[in-house]
Amino acid sequence: METSAALLELCPQSPDQDVVAPRPRPGRARPALLAPGHPDPVATPVPVFVVPVGPGAAPHGPGTGLSPDDCAGLNGHSRATLGGAAGRRLRDRLPEQVSAAMAAAGHWELYGTRGLLVVACGDDARRMGFSVESVRPETSPPYTPYEVLTAHEAGLVAGCPAAGRDRLVTRFWVRKDAALQAVGRGLSLAPERIEAGFPGDHGTVRVPGFLGGEVLVAVRNFAFFPAYECAVAVPESLALTPAFCYSAG
């Protein structure tokens, strides 16, 4: 792991190009795709750091004070829940650039799964949704497919080659999880009630609102590493975009 990650533009190609997209349903308008290519350059950037932990990281670099299992334990924490001495201890175990950004930010949030930690910095991170899961049968996702997916999505999984089913279920899950976080619903709304919002790597997820109606959420997947599925969600009414930093070494 490099001590100072470079700011990179991720995924010039569609990172979900190998995923089957649901066919439009009769009587339901197909969600419009977001602009192809990189995120909207006029949107406000939100710094998001991706920190790999474990055998794939450099053996003597910063961040090796964390174990792969520590990442999952940090999932869902923020500056409000992990402040003071606990927050300083965490920053001491992270790469210098990540630690400095967390120290300077008035707010930060953590999202993690075994071996990978995502850190979103700044007040605007509160208005976005993030989800990351490892693609392994024993850990992905935290529910059976029939508890996570709509009947339509379950049919897509059943028709997918066996070798790709875990990835497809995980990809559906992180899209739903990120969208629910972006509108403040969390798991107060059962994930099988919403469609994952394909086609392609970015599309619209329609989340039922607290007071009726639907909130349209733009969700995009990012392929940081082959072992993981990651999604970032932003309500379509907000001009926010993730500005990713991660170690390429």
Side-chain angles (χ1 to χ4, degrees):
M1 185 183 304
E2 295 176 344
T3 56
S4 58
L7 183 63
L8 301 176
E9 290 183 298
L10 296 185
C11 304
Q13 73 288 350
S14 168
D16 279 346
Q17 57 192 349
D18 59 332
V19 176
V20 177
R23 295 177 181 175
R25 293 184 176 181
R28 180 175 177 178
R30 179 171 178 158
L33 283 173
L34 302 182
H38 299 302
D40 185 348
V42 303
T44 300
V46 177
V48 181
F49 297 88
V50 181
V51 183
V53 176
H60 303 295
T64 54
L66 291 175
S67 73
D69 289 325
D70 288 334
C71 298
L74 292 168
N75 183 52
H77 279 287
S78 67
R79 182 163 189 161
T81 64
L82 202 66
R88 289 192 295 273
R89 284 195 297 271
L90 172 62
R91 295 199 302 271
D92 288 344
R93 300 159 76 189
L94 292 173
E96 181 180 349
Q97 185 180 4
V98 184
S99 177
M102 292 172 68
H107 176 76
W108 46 260
E109 298 182 358
L110 306 176
Y111 304 88
T113 188
R114 190 178 191 278
L116 189 67
L117 183 67
V118 176
V119 184
C121 292
D123 286 338
D124 285 326
R126 303 175 192 266
R127 304 191 292 170
M128 302 175 73
F130 301 85
S131 186
V132 55
E133 287 285 350
S134 55
V135 185
R136 298 183 304 164
E138 67 271 24
T139 60
S140 64
Y143 305 92
T144 67
Y146 297 101
E147 292 172 327
V148 170
L149 306 181
T150 65
H152 180 57
E153 292 162 349
L156 289 172
V157 171
C160 179
R165 287 175 188 164
D166 286 322
R167 178 169 298 279
L168 184 55
V169 173
T170 307
R171 194 169 297 188
F172 280 136
W173 161 247
V174 296
R175 291 180 67 83
K176 293 169 183 257
D177 185 31
L180 289 168
Q181 289 181 33
V183 299
R185 294 300 303 257
L187 292 180
S188 67
L189 181 69
E192 68 269 20
R193 288 187 58 192
I194 61 174
E195 293 278 354
F198 281 88
D201 71 309
H202 44 214
T204 297
V205 175
R206 300 168 182 266
V207 181
F210 286 104
L211 302 176
E214 291 182 325
V215 180
L216 304 185
V217 184
V219 184
R220 186 172 184 182
N221 286 81
F222 291 90
F224 302 124
F225 307 101
Y228 300 95
E229 283 293 326
C230 308
V232 179
V234 182
E236 290 188 350
S237 60
L238 302 179
L240 301 174
T241 189
F244 286 101
C245 300
Y246 73 109
S247 174

